[in-house]
Amino acid sequence: RAVMVMPYGGTLTGARAFVDGFVQEYGASVAIFKDKRRKAVVYFANLKWAAIGDTVIAAKDAMKWLRNVANKVSKRELPVCWTAPSGFIVQQQYHDSEARRIKTKLGEKCYYLTIQEDKQDTINSRKQANGVSPNFVHSLDASAMTAAINNSTAVGINQFAMVHDSFATVAADTSKLAH
């Protein structure tokens, strides 16, 4: 999972969580995990994250470039914009927010709600940088799905099952979809 989410903005912290989840599910019988699990998880996740960085070099470089652009653009209080291959214009604009606490009374009981409100005049550089890689990849996935649907309907396929970037159809149309 850590390899798959890396281009979407995955982090070392996320990789550690994936390794820890795997150990919890499958590693209960391994003796080292009984008293040194946390240390082993951190060690293995660090090795795994370094290997991902060494293997998926282009994705890592692209993420770094996108984050750098997002930082520079947001410092000018501008949104990050690009055109996806489908022609869809994407505009990413994460604003700073401030919390507003609202007190409400229902019957004899008081409830406190916290609402986050965007400050429309300031852009949050950190959120812009963290969001640009996954949003860029999602825009590419959406473009691929758009092309798959358009090309498929043009050859008579009209039944689809789609999840994220995976496409399927009924058995009779699978070879047409594959083509």
Side-chain angles (χ1 to χ4, degrees):
R1 289 180 65 192
V3 176
M4 292 302 295
V5 301
M6 193 268 202
Y8 293 92
T11 63
L12 174 58
T13 302
R16 286 179 183 154
F18 292 139
V19 170
D20 194 46
F22 181 85
V23 168
Q24 284 180 31
E25 189 170 346
Y26 299 104
S29 62
V30 179
I32 189 172
F33 292 122
K34 291 199 183 347
D35 59 346
K36 297 180 183 171
R37 188 179 112 220
R38 177 76 182 138
K39 190 173 182 179
V41 164
V42 168
Y43 176 77
F44 182 70
N46 288 345
L47 288 176
K48 185 176 190 171
W49 193 249
I52 293 169
D54 291 344
T55 306
V56 191
I57 296 165
K60 187 172 87 174
D61 290 346
M63 281 178 52
K64 185 177 178 181
W65 185 85
L66 286 166
R67 290 178 61 91
N68 186 36
V69 168
N71 272 318
K72 287 182 179 187
V73 170
S74 62
K75 294 244 186 295
R76 294 178 170 216
E77 298 296 335
L78 296 169
V80 179
C81 302
W82 66 92
T83 302
S86 64
F88 185 82
I89 297 171
V90 180
Q91 179 173 304
Q92 175 186 286
Q93 188 165 274
Y94 293 111
H95 292 276
D96 286 325
S97 61
E98 87 186 338
R100 188 162 58 111
R101 197 161 185 210
I102 299 171
K103 179 181 175 182
T104 277
K105 191 170 185 182
L106 187 59
E108 295 298 315
K109 219 170 175 183
C110 284
Y111 296 91
Y112 295 91
L113 304 169
T114 303
I115 296 175
Q116 292 291 330
E117 294 180 320
D118 284 345
K119 295 180 184 178
Q120 294 300 317
D121 56 336
T122 58
I123 289 182
N124 187 309
S125 297
R126 184 184 53 78
K127 287 182 181 176
Q128 289 287 89
N130 289 342
V132 72
S133 293
N135 289 337
F136 183 77
V137 172
H138 288 307
S139 76
L140 297 178
D141 289 343
S143 292
M145 184 178 285
T146 300
I149 291 170
N150 290 342
N151 293 333
S152 297
T153 55
V155 296
I157 300 172
N158 58 18
Q159 296 181 60
F160 300 98
M162 298 183 170
V163 177
H164 193 53
D165 57 358
S166 299
F167 319 124
T169 188
V170 295
D173 290 334
T174 54
S175 45
K176 275 200 264 185
L177 180 63
H179 181 47

